[in-house]
Amino acid sequence: MASESYYLGFDFSTQQLKVIAINEGLQVVLEDNIQFDRDLPEFGTQGGIHTHRDKLTVTSPVLMWVKALDIILDRLKSSGFNFGKVRALSGSGQQHGSVYWKNGARDQLRHLNADLPLHSLLEACFSVADSPIWMDSSTSAKCHHLEEAVGGPQELANITGSRAYERFTGNQIAKMFHQKPEIYLQTERISLVSSFAASLFLGDYAPIDYSDGSGMNLLNISEKTWSEICLDTCAPNLKERLGSVVPSNSVLGSVSPYYADRYGFSRECRIVAFTGDNPASLAGMRLQQGDIAVSLGTSDTLFLWIQDPTPALEGHIFCNPVQHQDYMALLCFKNGSLMRERIRDECASGSWEIFSQALASTPPGNSGNVGFYFEAMEITPQAVGVHRFNADSRKVSEFPKDVEIRALVEGQFMAKRIHAERLGYKIMPQTRILATGGASSNQDILQVLSDVFNAPVYTIATANSACLGAAYQAAHGLAIEASVSEGLKPTEGHKLAVTPRPGADKVYQALLKRYAECESAVVHESQSRYQN
């Protein structure tokens, strides 16, 4: 135990700063967190944020993040944690948020006085005190302008992996430049939350990594370079303010002398590029090529590992943080557990047991009956309402209760497969589905998921997956630098839940085509209703 080495992962999320230490065996040996509202009340945040009067602008104080790092490192030092045994560290940050460093800040960052806390050393280093974050939706006009400049939303998705989104960093920077040009001129570097956090440890400006850079509407994801037309549309001389981009497992250098002198870090401790929380979660869940992770929560989210992406108007394509020549995709479905609970209440007397019995007693394919259940306007696809189709693809007003339950669950999972495949995802012989979230405890729901995708389903514990993924990235980046082939065991911590039933694949191959056709009709109907 005396010679044990550690890897640290930090996660600068919306509501807290988390840290995890893992050992050489990749086992967690330490966890801690700072809750912003509770531990840093002087910043006056609610849920780690400031919501402005227009209800659209949402920001977080930069110095709150810096002070949180001071507190968590002081706490670890007081507890007796030996920073000298940390071989490498990495981190993740909430995606899309941006930090604006004032002219001259780099010199301050390079000459930190170890006798003073970081937040007092850097308090005059930011041209914008409150950073725009992912919850901001105040940039609609900038989004339209960017899409028009490149030739439309699909063309922007082809270049950057996503159509224009209000929270994406390029549109936030465009707003900053047009509303406060004098502040933009006072800014020498713009970081993402992830590269800002890496800069704190490096004692210099850290580059943006490919994966988090993919959430900006600025990076050409196929060439792994900044898109000149996107940069020029958002703000002048933006490339020099963003710096270079690097693979997500790059070693950026050694820790700043500040941390060696103040906390006892080894001067050989390496900094591996920090990335966004979603890419870090992919690493934390140990996805492999061809895998798909499904989070079944209030909204349902898909993480996909893909090689040949086909960007669409729905979903996001990012560069893959583990293998930078590959890609990851993210799809969000708004009508998740709340819709499942509503149908449970209406058709199963509020009982999950009766709900499960209905799934178990109805055949895969539901005798051709399909349904769409969107209580709120859905993101993927853009549609609303409840729509039922019988085996002849004719709309019907109701189903028997057991048919309704299967139609809901099958429909949710068929939609996930269809939209995943539209983004370039391909089911492979080695494909595993990794399920997490509340509904992943229901074996009968997982059986439908397994049947629809024709792949085994594993359940995973994903508490702090982004922070854990950051610690894994620290170990992974160091192994790559040393040319050591150290892979994560792909099934460690994953529990096999169900496998596809014989014959299910044949049933769903035909039904998926019909479901896609019905979905197009539902989208058209929803759009017509809203236009009228």
Side-chain angles (χ1 to χ4, degrees):
M1 249 339 245
S3 62
E4 189 167 51
S5 298
Y6 302 123
Y7 302 95
L8 291 182
F10 293 86
D11 178 31
F12 288 75
S13 67
T14 310
Q15 299 189 49
Q16 59 184 319
L17 168 61
K18 298 187 281 282
V19 63
I20 282 179
I22 59 173
N23 60 19
E24 295 280 5
L26 307 181
Q27 297 161 313
V28 175
V29 295
L30 176 147
E31 293 184 64
D32 202 356
N33 69 82
I34 299 295
Q35 298 281 340
F36 298 142
D37 294 0
R38 180 193 69 203
D39 299 320
L40 293 161
E42 62 269 31
F43 290 97
T45 56
Q46 289 187 308
I49 65 171
H50 291 148
T51 304
H52 295 232
R53 283 184 182 176
D54 62 3
K55 303 295 184 188
L56 301 174
T57 305
V58 182
T59 58
S60 288
V62 185
L63 281 175
M64 178 181 73
W65 297 332
V66 180
K67 194 169 184 180
L69 182 59
D70 283 331
I71 294 171
I72 208 163
L73 291 177
D74 286 343
R75 190 190 286 175
L76 293 185
K77 184 180 178 183
S78 298
S79 74
F81 181 75
N82 188 344
F83 287 106
K85 293 183 179 180
V86 177
R87 293 186 64 202
L89 64 86
S90 187
S92 67
Q94 49 177 295
Q95 284 203 265
H96 318 302
S98 46
V99 175
Y100 299 75
W101 298 87
K102 192 181 289 184
N103 293 335
R106 184 176 212 164
D107 188 58
Q108 176 69 356
L109 200 53
R110 286 173 164 174
H111 302 95
L112 297 171
N113 179 351
D115 294 330
L116 296 172
L118 205 57
H119 72 274
S120 64
L121 293 166
L122 298 180
E123 62 184 348
C125 285
F126 304 103
S127 51
V128 177
D130 261 35
S131 284
I133 64 161
W134 66 274
M135 296 171 75
D136 188 282
S137 56
S138 66
T139 64
S140 295
K142 302 306 173 195
C143 291
H144 295 311
H145 181 58
L146 180 58
E147 289 181 343
E148 287 174 8
V150 302
Q154 183 60 58
E155 185 55 31
L156 184 62
N158 292 342
I159 298 168
T160 71
S162 302
R163 67 175 305 168
Y165 283 89
E166 292 164 320
R167 66 187 183 276
F168 275 39
T169 323
N171 307 304
Q172 296 288 340
I173 294 170
K175 175 190 168 187
M176 182 67 63
F177 170 68
H178 285 94
Q179 289 190 357
K180 299 175 181 176
E182 71 286 355
I183 287 180
Y184 184 79
L185 291 174
Q186 293 168 14
T187 301
E188 69 179 19
R189 176 60 68 105
I190 301 173
S191 296
L192 294 177
V193 176
S194 58
S195 60
F196 147 78
S199 302
L200 299 180
F201 283 102
L202 197 60
D204 200 352
Y205 292 146
I208 291 169
D209 77 292
Y210 292 163
S211 293
D212 209 9
S214 307
M216 300 175 75
N217 280 145
L218 294 176
L219 186 74
N220 183 317
I221 60 168
S222 57
E223 295 181 7
K224 313 283 194 293
T225 57
W226 298 120
S227 162
E228 297 289 347
I229 188 170
C230 293
L231 294 177
D232 293 344
T233 302
C234 289
N237 304 312
L238 183 51
K239 185 189 252 183
E240 65 192 45
R241 286 175 170 82
L242 293 176
S244 59
V245 280
V246 297
S248 303
N249 45 30
S250 301
V251 175
L252 305 180
S254 296
V255 73
S256 163
Y258 173 86
Y259 297 90
D261 296 340
R262 188 172 176 87
Y263 296 106
F265 277 87
S266 163
R267 291 180 184 269
E268 302 301 311
C269 174
R270 307 294 268 164
I271 311 299
V272 176
F274 285 33
T275 191
D277 52 2
N278 287 310
S281 289
L282 179 138
M285 291 187 284
R286 304 190 186 191
L287 259 69
Q288 306 286 311
Q289 184 182 321
D291 283 350
I292 179 168
V294 184
S295 175
L296 300 170
T298 304
S299 59
D300 291 347
T301 306
L302 257 63
F303 292 84
L304 313 165
W305 182 308
I306 55 180
Q307 291 183 298
D308 300 304
T310 52
L313 297 183
E314 295 156 349
H316 310 291
I317 305 287
F318 300 145
C319 297
N320 190 300
V322 180
Q323 298 282 357
H324 70 260
Q325 69 271 27
D326 289 352
Y327 297 86
M328 65 172 283
L330 198 63
L331 278 164
C332 189
F333 300 81
K334 187 183 288 185
N335 293 272
S337 64
L338 296 181
M339 201 68 234
R340 289 187 287 270
E341 288 164 10
R342 179 183 142 185
I343 297 299
R344 176 204 64 189
D345 294 343
E346 292 176 0
C347 299
S349 305
S351 164
W352 283 120
E353 189 178 347
I354 296 172
F355 188 96
S356 293
Q357 288 169 1
L359 287 176
S361 65
T362 45
N366 212 14
S367 303
N369 296 296
V370 298
F372 300 80
Y373 300 83
F374 307 133
E375 189 163 43
M377 173 60 86
E378 184 50 75
I379 300 168
T380 316
Q382 287 192 304
V384 71
V386 175
H387 309 264
R388 303 174 185 88
F389 296 85
N390 65 16
D392 297 321
S393 297
R394 291 201 183 104
K395 285 202 81 170
V396 294
S397 60
E398 60 181 28
F399 285 149
K401 289 181 177 180
D402 57 345
V403 173
E404 183 94 304
I405 289 169
R406 178 167 278 276
L408 164 74
V409 177
E410 280 190 344
Q412 288 186 330
F413 292 145
M414 284 194 289
K416 289 171 177 53
R417 177 166 174 176
I418 287 165
H419 288 279
E421 289 178 341
R422 284 178 186 167
L423 287 176
Y425 177 72
K426 295 179 180 67
I427 294 172
M428 302 177 176
Q430 75 271 24
T431 289
R432 303 169 305 157
I433 302 170
L434 312 178
T436 184
S440 66
S441 62
N442 187 309
Q443 195 89 351
D444 294 286
I445 289 176
L446 295 186
Q447 185 63 63
V448 178
L449 174 60
S450 180
D451 291 344
V452 168
F453 278 83
N454 193 38
V457 175
Y458 293 78
T459 54
I460 49 174
T462 55
N464 301 323
S465 60
C467 197
L468 186 59
Y472 289 162
Q473 286 289 85
H476 184 51
L478 199 64
I480 290 172
E481 186 187 44
S483 301
V484 177
S485 180
E486 266 181 35
L488 296 175
K489 294 174 186 172
T491 55
E492 197 172 297
H494 299 161
K495 182 181 176 185
L496 179 63
V498 291
T499 55
R501 285 186 281 195
D505 184 43
K506 191 173 182 181
V507 171
Y508 289 111
Q509 284 296 347
L511 194 61
L512 282 159
K513 292 177 185 174
R514 268 195 57 231
Y515 186 89
E517 292 166 1
C518 293
E519 185 186 82
S520 297
V522 167
V523 170
H524 180 72
E525 182 182 327
S526 295
Q527 290 173 347
S528 299
R529 189 190 306 176
Y530 268 78
Q531 286 167 358
N532 296 332

